[in-house]
Amino acid sequence: MNGEQTISVNARAAALIDRLMSDSAELHVTVRKGELGETLIDAGSRCRGSIAAGLRIAEICMGGLGTVAMVPTALTPNWPWTLAVRSSNPVTACLASQYAGWKLASGAGKDAFFALGSGPGRALARKEPLFAQLAYRDEAPTAALVLESNRPPPAAVVRQVAEDCGLAPGCLTFIYAPTQSLAGNVQVVARVLEVALHKIHELKFPLERIVEGMGAAPLSPPHPDFVAAMGRTNDAIIYGGSAHVFVNGPANDARALAEQLPSARSRDHGRPFAEIFARFNRDFYAIDPMLFAPAAVIVTATETGESFRAGRLDLDLLDAAFA
């Protein structure tokens, strides 16, 4: 993986977390210790949070192997600010770290807790089937996870994460923010490249042939309702997102990948995500997984210099979703 084995996503994230905590007042986040000694960073539950915090958290999610910036764009004129994501180690940054694939749960009834863990701690625990297909394995004295949640993980979850990571609870950091918050909204939309990488994996394209990746998606306006907020962040990628990946190997393979990659290849494409979610009785896993992809893609075959484009941004659907 081009030297990626020598890189620790948790060590790189730890440096970013130190800066996040140092700037907590400026970023409107709060930092405290949990009952087991874990570090808890609230980025939008009981505090205001900020767009700036969301940009930092998105880079922490990528294990410090990607950059996330907010830049102006003319491609989505009614929503002129976009999140631009880039990584020279996209498989590790996006799939081994950023992907929200670790199911964390405890309790029942009103005490039930459930969240999907994202971030570099996943690469220490390697609990998900995905890691059987990823060569990357991290070693580090600390671990960090980011949760789309309006509350911190309970002690039972902290203990389980510590055990799975092979660390003491005091070596763990949990950053949490609901999707409805400013920071939560940003860090989800910043997954535009990760969503592309995940679909590439689902399409069975060899991950070792992916060498570079970039993505962009418009910053969706937050919404106080969870389903509406989740819908907008998904729509930002499905109807307004774009990705450019660079791959090795035959140009025909790059062409075939480009043709299959856009979100429009899904049977469920064509309505705002909140409506699709309601149609499937709020069963996220009943939705066609091929829907989760950028609207427009470019795949460049590095060995021939050819680039293949597919898909397009849907400005009308984006406006309908964000209105």
Side-chain angles (χ1 to χ4, degrees):
M1 280 190 157
N2 301 323
E4 292 180 31
Q5 290 291 332
T6 64
I7 301 170
S8 169
V9 289
N10 281 282
R12 293 177 70 89
L16 297 178
I17 290 169
D18 285 344
R19 293 202 290 274
L20 178 70
M21 293 192 294
S22 296
D23 297 337
S24 59
E26 170 195 342
L27 300 172
H28 304 289
V29 305
T30 60
V31 182
R32 67 180 178 90
K33 288 293 185 180
E35 62 179 277
L36 300 178
E38 73 277 14
T39 298
L40 300 173
I41 302 177
D42 179 353
S45 175
R46 294 191 174 185
C47 64
R48 176 181 138 190
S50 61
I51 289 173
L55 296 172
R56 302 256 198 123
I57 293 165
E59 292 188 348
I60 290 168
C61 274
M62 298 180 78
L65 289 178
T67 61
V68 182
M70 190 166 65
V71 298
T73 180
L75 294 178
T76 52
N78 290 338
W79 313 100
W81 292 98
T82 196
L83 297 182
V85 184
R86 181 188 61 78
S87 178
S88 294
N89 302 275
V91 173
T92 299
C94 295
L95 297 184
S97 190
Q98 189 181 23
Y99 176 58
W102 192 357
K103 296 180 181 179
L104 302 172
S106 73
K110 63 181 180 63
D111 296 323
F113 176 88
F114 177 82
L116 292 174
S118 172
R122 296 174 50 246
L124 280 182
R126 294 178 60 90
K127 298 294 290 182
E128 305 150 47
L130 173 61
F131 281 96
Q133 299 169 58
L134 298 177
Y136 182 80
R137 183 184 297 271
D138 196 15
E139 294 183 6
T142 61
L145 287 178
V146 174
L147 310 177
E148 281 182 69
S149 175
N150 61 6
R151 62 189 177 106
V157 168
V158 175
R159 288 191 189 95
Q160 187 61 57
V161 170
E163 179 180 339
D164 290 341
C165 289
L167 299 172
C171 298
L172 303 179
T173 296
F174 294 91
I175 304 172
Y176 62 99
T179 310
Q180 303 95 305
S181 66
L182 289 168
N185 180 66
V186 168
Q187 75 93 6
V188 176
V189 176
R191 295 172 183 274
V192 57
L193 178 59
E194 175 250 291
V195 169
L197 265 288
H198 189 260
K199 186 166 181 180
I200 289 171
H201 172 251
E202 291 293 314
L203 292 170
K204 312 299 183 187
F205 188 88
L207 296 177
E208 65 274 10
R209 287 170 54 185
I210 303 170
V211 295
E212 289 272 350
M214 301 174 289
L219 179 62
S220 56
H223 195 286
D225 176 75
F226 168 71
V227 173
M230 178 186 66
R232 288 179 173 185
T233 56
N234 277 281
D235 291 327
I237 296 171
I238 294 169
Y239 300 117
S242 59
H244 189 168
V245 294
F246 298 76
V247 302
N248 291 328
N252 284 342
D253 290 355
R255 184 198 305 272
L257 178 62
E259 291 172 352
Q260 294 297 318
L261 191 51
S263 58
R265 299 290 297 189
S266 166
R267 65 170 188 264
D268 293 330
H269 183 275
R271 301 297 301 168
F273 186 81
E275 293 184 20
I276 298 170
F277 191 55
R279 191 173 83 233
F280 285 97
N281 298 315
R282 298 194 172 194
D283 181 355
F284 193 86
Y285 296 101
I287 299 170
D288 179 12
M290 295 294 103
L291 178 65
F292 301 101
V297 304
I298 305 170
V299 179
T300 294
T302 60
E303 294 173 17
T304 67
E306 296 172 89
S307 292
F308 305 97
R309 298 172 179 268
R312 66 176 183 86
L313 306 189
D314 193 322
L315 301 184
D316 290 338
L317 267 170
L318 197 66
D319 287 346
F322 286 5

